Amino acid sequence: MNREGTTAPNAAGRGPLAGLRVLEIASMAPGPFACTVLADLGAEVLRVDRASDVDPDTRGSRDPLARGRRSIAVDLKHPDGAALVRRLTAGADVLVEGFRPGVAERLGIGPEDCRAVNPALVYGRMTGWGQSGPLAPRAGHDITYLAVSGALGLIGPPGRPPVPPVNLVGDFGGGGMLLALGILAALYERERSGLGQVVDAAMVDGAALLTTALHGLRATGDWQGDRGENLLDGGAPFYTTYETADGGHMAVGPIEERFYAQLLTGLGLSDDPDLPAQYDRERWPELRQRLAAAFKERTRDEWTALFEPTDACVAPVLSPWEAHLHPHNAARSVFTETAGVRQPAPAPRFDRTPGAIQGPPPLVGQDTRTALAHWGVDAPETDRLLAATVVVQHPHTGENR
């Protein structure tokens, strides 16, 4: 165990994916998130960082998206660097990269280059626009992929511009999580065929996929209004947030009549004959005003204490930095601490083979020697690559992490 109470990176036998080997070409946001999910579930993840990113003055990393893997630093633009990656794929089950289409091929580590070495390799590609289509070669960010997918147009108040939901829907929900699922599906199919395949995970695809249910609601006529005017987008006064007396907020979501009745009871409005009916859309603005006035009468903590014992579907709106303090999250250990950083714990949970954070984030290149040896590269070859600066070893190995 290390000082943070987690096991050393890639500890054997931890999690349902123990024994799975993943080669991660360093990228940003969605690719690392997918690899973090796989590492938390027991996969051995080796991250290939840029040799130029090794910083001798850096002595620690605090990035939760880098937890639980080892790091080697490689110059991928050097022919021997690309050759090393191809060699490493011989011992890998999965490779993950996040380049624009065509870049991996130009470097000599594209799908065909790697599958020539290992036909069973699952090659995961994480992009915003995908490997095909007119926008495939273009730059973008979470917000642009959400815009084109239709997801962004759903989010925000009526009569106001759409509001980007941080980068949770594109980068992580529609991106990294979809890639992780695709990789596991390809591995499952490999059990029958013996062959790997390319997983083309695009954030625009994933963000669109997340709107599937809303397309159904639109088809049945249950989603008729513009943004912020529908049941689940803040349009309904019983599915939104309200400010409290201390400037906090409560989330309210009792869609069902029996739960809504408990909301009214808690607010002291259950016996008000003039209160608009729950689903009287024409009087929703009036109902919203009444509920808002009621919530302003007490603090967030007071409302939380009142509603938590009920089924009114009311909860305090917590920041990510205080969520660990909620009794439910504390009881389930939803958050943990690694390398001095509080962060979400691995999920989902397994009763026989639980996942675990396999170690704190590595320094770029801190494991170059040891990881190459572990992956079958002998010491003389590693020494040659180091001398030619094809690979770089960080001077601080992190042995006391």
Side-chain angles (χ1 to χ4, degrees), residues 19-43:
L20 185 73
R21 277 188 157 190
V22 178
L23 196 61
E24 174 192 4
I25 310 300
S27 59
M28 295 179 64
F33 179 62
C35 291
T36 296
V37 171
L38 298 177
D40 286 351
L41 299 183

Side-chain angles (χ1 to χ4, degrees), residues 71-145:
S71 168
I72 62 174
V74 182
D75 181 359
L76 291 177
K77 294 182 179 180
H78 193 291
D80 286 352
L84 175 63
V85 170
R86 293 194 298 271
R87 175 176 176 179
L88 293 175
T89 63
D93 297 291
V94 178
L95 183 145
V96 171
E97 56 95 349
F99 297 117
R100 290 199 207 185
V103 173
E105 285 82 353
R106 290 196 294 273
L107 291 172
I109 57 171
E112 297 310 313
D113 302 304
C114 294
R115 291 195 296 192
V117 177
N118 180 3
L121 183 71
V122 171
Y123 195 105
R125 317 197 80 166
M126 184 72 256
T127 61
W129 301 115
Q131 299 297 313
S132 61
L135 291 178
R138 301 277 73 83
H141 279 297
D142 183 285
I143 191 171
T144 47
Y145 312 135

Side-chain angles (χ1 to χ4, degrees), residues 197-229:
Q197 58 184 304
V198 174
V199 179
D200 175 6
M203 284 177 263
V204 68
D205 298 353
L209 184 64
L210 293 176
T211 70
T212 300
L214 301 183
H215 285 272
L217 293 175
R218 179 80 172 184
T220 59
D222 294 320
W223 193 276
Q224 298 179 345
D226 293 328
R227 179 174 56 256
E229 297 179 350

Side-chain angles (χ1 to χ4, degrees), residues 153-159 223 225-231 233-236 284 288:
L154 296 167
I155 304 169
W223 193 276
D226 293 328
R227 179 174 56 256
E229 297 179 350
N230 299 281
L231 178 62
D233 61 1
W284 272 3
R288 186 184 301 273

